[in-house]
Each structure stands twice: as structure tokens, then as C-alpha cells.
Amino acid sequence: MKPSKKKQSRPKANSDTSAKSSGYHHGNLREEVLEHSRKVLESKGVSSLSLRDIATDLGVSHTAPYRHFPKKMDLLQALVTEGFQELTKGMERAWNHSEDPLEKVKMAGVEYIFLLLKNPRRTELMFGGELYVSGDPISEDLRECGNQAYLGMFKIVEFGQKSLKLKNSVPTATLMMSFWSGVHGFAVLNERKWKQIKSTAEETIFRKEVDQILEIMIEGTRL
């Protein structure tokens, strides 16, 4: 008789195995968590953001996202940091848009308005809300990115003053904050209108309204 073959036991599935099959070890989990979190934040609000739920949605172990974001506030700060990085890039595009100081200012307004309209819940976190009342210290990355975005807009307004196109009877920071408040308020008040746009024609009309509003704001700040 031939000796019976021993049955080989299969390795038990564990969280690490599941993580590998889901792509966790591909080195992109942090980016995947951030991308999915942005969608949840904009569609359901900050209260619906849960690291455990995100792990489930992405098909990884419940502990995997915590390796990148030990707590929810770390995730929120990372999302806000991304927001300020995008705002900084928007201000750079506005600066390079034209040699005309007033056109730079106008494009800065356009960049800000549509950044807010496309990411309203994230913008709320960028300038207030849960992030600043939690008691958690603000990360250095977030502070630096926020400062760079601020300086990007400051530079544009300062250039307008030095070019004798914008009022220089008030400090640059004050004039900038006046303009910033105006574009922020317009975007907040028109968030619903933007979401209800269904056609290219409607979007064209809306963008013309944005241009008109910005021209009115700039007229009030001209020298």
C-alpha cells in the first residue's frame, strides 16, 4: 500500500493578506484614503467621515488607514492642507495670467470662487469649523500651506497697489481681505445655484455673472 499523503493546510487569511490583495502594500493607500475622503466630505459632510468606514469602502483592514492618519483630525488637517496647496496653485496661475495688475486680481477671484464652488465643505474646514475648535494643534504643513496661499493673494494685491492701479491709502492686508471677503461671500451665496446648473449655456451665463461681480469689486478698490 502506498502511504497516504498528508493534507497540506492552507494558510489562514488575515488582515495583512487582505491588505495585500486590496493594494495596501502598493504604497498608495494614503492617497486613496484622501481621495475617497474628499468625495465623502463633499457628498455627506464632515460628520460622515469615519476612518473605519473608509477602510471598509476601500476593502482594507480597519486598522490600515490609521497607519497614515492616527485619528480623524489628522485626516481633516491633511484634506485642508491639500485645499491650501490648490489655492496656492490657483494664485500662481492668476499671477501668470496677465501682465495687467487688474487682470491678475480678477483671475485670483475667479480661481478662488470656483475652488470653493467645487469643494464647498472642504473650504468650510479651511477657514473655520471643526478644525479650529477641536483643541488639536495645527500641523506645521498646514500652517505653511495656509501661509503660502495667503501670500499668493497678498502678492497680487500688493502688485496692483505698487502699479498704481489699486488704492494704496489702506494697508495691503486690509485691501486684500476686503476683496477676499467679497469673493468668498459670493461663492458661498451661490453654491446652490452652481449645483443646479444643468447645461453649458447655464454655466456660461453663471461665469459671466462672476466676471461682472468681480469687475464691480475691483472698481471699488481701484485707485
Side-chain angles (χ1 to χ4, degrees), residues 71 73-74 77 131-132 134-140 142-143:
K71 54 184 182 295
M73 193 53 60
D74 296 319
Q77 290 203 24
L131 206 67
Y132 302 102
S134 66
D136 285 48
I138 302 300
S139 71
E140 286 303 314
L142 176 50
R143 288 185 187 278

Side-chain angles (χ1 to χ4, degrees), residues 2-195:
K2 294 182 179 179
S4 59
K5 295 182 179 180
K6 292 183 179 180
K7 293 183 179 180
Q8 294 182 346
S9 59
R10 294 180 180 179
K12 294 182 179 179
N14 54 37
S15 60
D16 289 337
T17 303
S18 299
K20 287 180 181 179
S21 64
S22 65
Y24 169 67
H25 288 289
H26 293 173
N28 60 357
L29 181 62
R30 186 179 189 279
E31 288 70 27
E32 289 180 2
V33 169
L34 285 171
E35 182 179 357
H36 188 67
S37 297
R38 284 194 295 270
K39 296 176 182 177
V40 174
L41 176 63
E42 296 302 336
S43 62
K44 298 181 180 179
V46 66
S47 62
S48 296
L49 272 179
S50 162
L51 285 165
R52 287 180 64 86
D53 290 346
I54 290 168
T56 300
D57 292 343
L58 295 179
V60 299
S61 70
H62 286 164
T63 60
Y66 289 93
R67 302 183 189 185
H68 299 282
F69 307 102
K71 54 184 182 295
K72 179 178 177 178
M73 193 53 60
D74 296 319
L75 174 61
L76 295 183
Q77 290 203 24
L79 289 169
V80 168
T81 298
E82 281 192 340
F84 280 119
Q85 289 171 337
E86 288 183 30
L87 181 56
T88 298
K89 291 177 182 177
M91 293 304 102
E92 290 173 354
R93 287 192 294 270
W95 175 262
N96 295 322
H97 173 69
S98 172
E99 293 300 318
D100 185 336
L102 299 184
E103 285 299 314
K104 290 179 186 287
V105 174
K106 184 177 180 180
M107 185 53 63
V110 170
E111 290 282 353
Y112 185 87
I113 287 171
F114 285 100
L115 181 66
L116 187 153
L117 290 175
K118 292 174 183 177
N119 307 275
R121 305 290 78 79
R122 187 182 66 181
T123 308
E124 288 174 356
L125 287 174
M126 288 168 65
F127 298 105
E130 188 170 340
L131 206 67
Y132 302 102
V133 299
S134 66
D136 285 48
I138 302 300
S139 71
E140 286 303 314
D141 281 348
L142 176 50
R143 288 185 187 278
E144 177 62 22
C145 289
N147 188 50
Q148 288 300 315
Y150 175 90
L151 291 176
M153 188 174 290
F154 185 95
K155 174 183 175 182
I156 290 172
V157 174
E158 183 181 49
F159 181 69
Q161 289 179 308
K162 289 181 176 180
S163 301
L164 302 181
K165 295 289 187 177
L166 297 179
K167 291 180 180 178
N168 49 28
S169 57
V170 295
T172 304
T174 302
L175 189 63
M176 184 199 74
M177 190 55 64
S178 174
F179 179 72
W180 195 346
S181 299
V183 294
H184 182 89
F186 174 85
V188 169
L189 290 173
N190 285 274
E191 179 190 341
R192 182 181 299 180
K193 186 175 182 179
W194 170 254
K195 288 181 176 179

